[in-house]
Amino acid sequence: MNLLVMFAVIGIAFFIFFCSKKTMEKDKTLKIFSVLLFLVYLFRLFTTQDALNNVFNVLLYDIETPINSEDTWLFSPGMTVFILFLRWSTMASMLWIIIYPFFKSLSLKYLGAIFGTITGILNFIFFDQHLIAFSNNTDLWSFKSIQYMIETALFLFIAVVLLCDIIQKKEIIPRKKEWLRRLMIIIGSFFAVMPQTLLYNLFGNYGEVPDEFTYSHLFVIAFPFLLMFVVYYVTKKENQISKDTIITYLAFAAFTQYFYMRRETLEALPLHLCNTAVLLLLLAVVFKINQFFYFSYFANVLGALAAILLPNYSSDLFTFSVIHYGYNHLYAFVIPILAVALHTFPRPVLKHMYKAILVFSIYYVSVVFLNAWFNNFATVDYFFAYSDFLTDMFGVKEIQFNYMVEFTYNGLTFRFFWLFQTLYFLIFILLMFTSWYVYDALFQMADQHSRLKAKQALIKLDHLKLLKMLDGRMPSEPMNPGGKDMIKISHFSKKYGQSERFAVKDFSLEVKGGEIFGFLGHNGAGKSTTIKSIVGIQSITEGEIEVCGYSIKSQPLEAKLRIGYVSDNHAVYEKLTGREYIYYVADLYRVPKETRDERLNILAEKLALSEAIDQMIKSYSHGMKQKLVVIASLIHEPPVWILDEPLTGLDPISSYQIKEIMREHAAKGNIVFFSSHVIEVVEKICTKIAVITQGQLTGIYDINVLKDKNISLEELYMHGINQGKRAAEYV
Amino acid sequence: MFERIKILTLMQLSNKSRLYVKGSKRVYVHIAIRTAIIIALTVIVSLLLHVLKNILFIPVNEFLMIFILIMTQGLNIIVSTIGLVSDLYHSKDNQILFSLAAKNDEIFFSKIMVTYVNEFVRNLFILIPIFVGFGVISNLGILYYISLIFLIFLLPIISVGISSFISMPFASFLNYIKRHNLLSAILSLIVILGLFYLTTLLVQQIPTPIRIVQLYNRFVVSITIAIQRIAQYGSIYTVIGKMLFNYHYLRNLLILVGTVLGLIAINYLVSKPVYFRLMSTSQENTVRKKDKKYKPVEATSLFITFLKKEFTIARRSLNELLSNYALLLTLPFFMFVLNYIYMGMNRSSFGNQVVLIMNVIITLLIATGSNTASATAITTEGYEFVLLKTAPYNTSRMAWAKITFNFVFTTLMIALSFFLFSKALPVFPKQDIWLLFLFVIFVNSGHILWSFQIDLLTPKLSDYASTGSIANNHNVSRSLSTGLFLAFFFGAMAIIAFIFIKEFGWTLMLLLSAVFLAYRFHTFNSYLNAYFDDIEY
């Protein structure tokens, strides 16, 4: 009879597949059948009168009986192990088949088709053995048999339809790189739905209770973390649909693993935090219910972690109860974290946390009430909110029993430990907030890590770009050999941070050797920004800056070696003496000792700083510090000397001395580029000037030309400020 | 006058925290979180007081409250005094504030107000939980809770008032020793050694073996008497405690109000002639004679250049160095006192394991708490960082130089602590001491790298350049939190290692700490190579 049904199912599947032409219709039919299969499975799960663990527990009728008690065996050991593996394969294939139509994963389709068809056929062939495992009889017309027949028929039907599809689309032989991925899916899926009696049936007792940090307990603690990392790293490069498929599969696996054992009595109702979690997680994943998901994320993960760290069992590691406990808490711990890590659910914001607290509050109030009610009929202790398990553990039993409210209604006694239950609630909320901060810290770490990876890749890319641009030349050679004795700024733009506004926009300028180039502009015009980008203190948003042919962006060290910089502020260590400071800067520029001392003496003499050079900088005046910075910037005799407002706050003598040094430096064929507000100074010592207004270059002028045309720089500057780019027309 | 003080105060407050923006959502979230923390703390304190009263049988009465007030407010006074010396006399914003059209005493009071606001906020987390906890446990009436509302505002005035008054002679003393580096170092050393000697003397008064359980009644009676004795000398805090417990309520209330007004008046009268003079001398620098014999060491590499600079600056900033590592200096005290007590008890083998776990937690808490210098290593370069940005070589080596300096200094200090510890307590197993030393060095070095990494990613160069202060630096608090996390994480690991695994306990701990150090080293190096060039002033 069962074989007849099997052939009929296969025949119908072929018929429907080849008669239905439209793919869309096939998709819809598949979805309907998948949902139907899950409903039929659920119906059997909750209506069968036997203890459902026997569905899978085929080796021993009574799990507690020693393995070598042959009188309790249903089948020979070989047949028992075969049926056990068949049930295992059925469970894994069934979940593939149920999930596939909603995610369209080619791998799931392939595995569901192959494994589903084979296990479906084997289930029909060994139908009697399954019935014996259910209820120890082979009556084909019993309620249970018919249920199971429908389930198996539906399962085989979908598997055959999928098989036809892959045959028709010539997907029967996977591509080379698909083999490994499918093997991993098989291993992962099989582990996810492993029969909880498997290890005990195969190996008997392990010999250790995984409690109090024994080696097996340490393994149990480490395993979820290891599993999460493995799943995350294996799947992080997959597309989002594949990631969602994994999370959905795990949610279904958690559900089936939880109901591996029939939970009928009041005390076994799924109202413990992690038991509720596996139910809510399935609903959350299937129907995208954020409230349920984040409740699991903030409340259950904590509870599961506590359960893994402090388990309350005393059986051997391989026993059914320990494996059940382990799987339940493993899923309650792992699924929420993985679902966020793999972006199936978005990273929580505070709003999600509040929703989680709301759901937890409803859950907690329900549990407190149900504990008070059900304890009239049985001993229940959902979420440990009724017994003295926790108060005894922490030695505060008085708090529970000294603050209690008790009343009777309709002959039922309701007992509330108000202080303990309120404190328990508040502490858990506090723990949820703590977990929020832990998650937040972990997210930050993860973000930091991804940014680092991206940055490292960018650095590598920049280096490759540089090598390409150099076209076989050494990185120490200038990118633009033609620009050897000049500063060349091309279309330079700079934005600060996340600002939308450009501090400097599309700025282009060339400064040649021997020139003293003045850079004029109002406060906030962009002078310092431009200078800081030339010397490499600030990054460049757009464009290119070359110093002596070297790009400051891609050859910063080579470019900086050729720059001397006097900042608009004193970059000096006040706890050093002047000499120590100069030596420090000279070391930074690798200036040999002899040259360094000679240059220092000459410059200090010129700037009248010799007397103070061995005093602590802390005691220097503003002008002395400025002179020290000037000496430091010239200690390596740079071909490009850049000064940002160098004469501000200087006395006339110091100002004169610095101007003289600028002239001398330019006379040697070097570039002197400096910014200033003081038009008279610029007019007096510069050969050329550039004017910048509100981040844009408004003109470049030759001082001699201006003099010839009898144009005052002050008038020109004021005109430029008022008229913008039309200043050039003025000339 | 009051209007100007108000403007100055608000200006300084808004500069220190961006939270003071009316109607901002962030403010409400901030307030909600803080309120939740206060509620949680109140619950915890109530529970602790319940345990004290009903389980440990230590009387929870006005004496205990006075005792706790003396302790907490005493600590507040010390912290505020240190903060005020820096804010009132050495802060860089003085140059701006004194150039404004405000009187010296107005600036003084605006700074006091800023400290008061900070003190008030900090006190909310201490006083509310303690007061409410006492109210619940001692079943006190409505008058008690009404009085609390006033006290929440008045108590910070007392501690800030006392601190600002003390800060004047203290700043003057500091100005003197600042000019005498050697004297300062000698004084610090004398104080430290004196304290260590005093601690040893005090601790040795405890009769051994310590049998708390057998002599529990005697212990409770002694503690109660000690608390009562100390409470008698609590001056204004004794008055407050008695007032709250309804002893001569009106009389004590008047004394309290009088004290507050007196403190305000005395600060006003003394600060008027003294403040400006003290502030200006604190910021003066004198030119010293040149040390012609001094020849700087020639650097052979960039790393040596940076290291030399670090040592030179540290040598000339002994006070800053001491304040950076002040917590680390307390390590030998804590280790000695706690272990003397532990060793004085009759311990089971389980007790010995607990002692080890406690040592792991305490040494890590103190050692990692001293790594704030690493968490501000780049920040404190301030504007001088420009030099490194313009230098034509891989200046990220400065990071390694700074780390080497911090590592050498902390390692020496920790080694000294363990050496003193092993000498002072020969009964403690030597092997455990040196294994613990190795473990602490590994974890602490990892934490130095972690703290440095925090600063590397978010340096506050311009903040430091403009204020010259690392007060309210976010990187410091992050470094402290990571230290706290590490102490508790390795504490939890120590429980597993020493209680459950036992024979491989030390192997596990050393392995974990070495892995942690290796991971931090690798991470730090990666971040340094990737991000150092991106740091912008």
Side-chain angles (χ1 to χ4, degrees), chain B residues 63-79:
Chain B
F63 295 112
L64 184 67
M65 176 180 271
I66 295 165
F67 177 76
I68 292 174
L69 272 177
I70 293 170
M71 292 297 143
T72 53
Q73 296 304 302
L75 200 69
N76 268 349
I77 290 169
I78 295 169
V79 173

Side-chain angles (χ1 to χ4, degrees), chain A residues 164-196:
Chain A
C164 293
D165 198 43
I166 59 170
I167 292 170
Q168 194 186 40
K169 289 178 179 160
K170 294 177 183 162
E171 290 164 347
I172 192 77
I173 299 169
R175 282 172 293 162
K176 237 180 190 176
K177 61 178 180 184
E178 285 290 317
W179 283 107
L180 182 68
R181 167 206 278 261
R182 285 176 194 176
L183 182 70
M184 278 159 70
I185 294 174
I186 293 168
I187 294 170
S189 304
F190 270 67
F191 170 76
V193 292
M194 185 187 85
Q196 290 167 15

Side-chain angles (χ1 to χ4, degrees), chain A residues 242-260:
Chain A
S242 304
K243 291 173 182 170
D244 293 348
T245 312
I246 290 165
I247 297 300
T248 312
Y249 189 92
L250 287 176
F252 272 94
F255 179 85
T256 54
Q257 286 288 26
Y258 179 73
F259 283 106
Y260 185 86

Side-chain angles (χ1 to χ4, degrees), chain B residues 425-460:
Chain B
L425 268 178
V427 66
F428 201 100
K430 287 277 180 294
Q431 192 194 346
D432 282 344
I433 291 179
W434 295 112
L435 285 172
L436 182 64
F437 167 70
L438 206 61
F439 165 79
V440 172
I441 292 298
F442 281 175
V443 178
N444 189 56
S445 305
H447 185 253
I448 288 177
L449 292 167
W450 198 350
S451 302
F452 206 113
Q453 187 183 308
I454 291 170
D455 200 38
L456 171 75
L457 295 176
T458 47
K460 314 277 182 224

Side-chain angles (χ1 to χ4, degrees), chain B residues 301-320:
Chain B
S301 73
L302 212 51
F303 175 77
I304 300 291
T305 302
F306 292 129
L307 200 61
K308 195 177 77 177
K309 184 208 90 186
E310 289 304 319
F311 273 98
T312 313
I313 292 177
R315 191 164 51 85
R316 288 174 191 162
S317 329
L318 277 177
N319 287 325
E320 281 163 43

Side-chain angles (χ1 to χ4, degrees), chain A residues 212-213 423 448 455 537 539 560 567-569 572-573 575 580 588-590 596 611 615 618, chain B residues 43 47 285 287 290 294 298 316-317 320 381 383-384 389-390 393 457 500 527 530-531 534 536:
Chain A
E212 296 198 330
F213 301 99
L423 285 176
Q448 236 177 40
K455 177 79 186 166
I537 295 174
S539 60
K560 285 174 185 177
S567 69
D568 55 348
N569 211 322
V572 286
Y573 295 100
K575 293 273 168 72
E580 283 167 346
L588 285 182
Y589 285 85
R590 305 271 173 89
R596 173 193 75 188
E611 275 301 298
Q615 282 163 13
K618 204 160 65 167
Chain B
V43 172
L47 278 173
N285 292 302
V287 177
K290 277 186 270 181
Y294 172 68
E298 291 301 331
R316 288 174 191 162
S317 329
E320 281 163 43
E381 283 286 302
Y383 193 74
E384 287 78 32
K389 288 291 289 182
T390 52
Y393 295 98
L457 295 176
F500 297 104
Y527 278 101
Y531 288 105
D534 286 359
E536 289 190 0

Side-chain angles (χ1 to χ4, degrees), chain A residues 692-707:
Chain A
I692 184 168
T693 313
Q694 288 177 347
Q696 289 191 306
L697 183 70
T698 48
I700 302 166
Y701 309 103
D702 191 318
I703 292 290
N704 290 328
V705 174
L706 292 181
K707 274 180 190 164

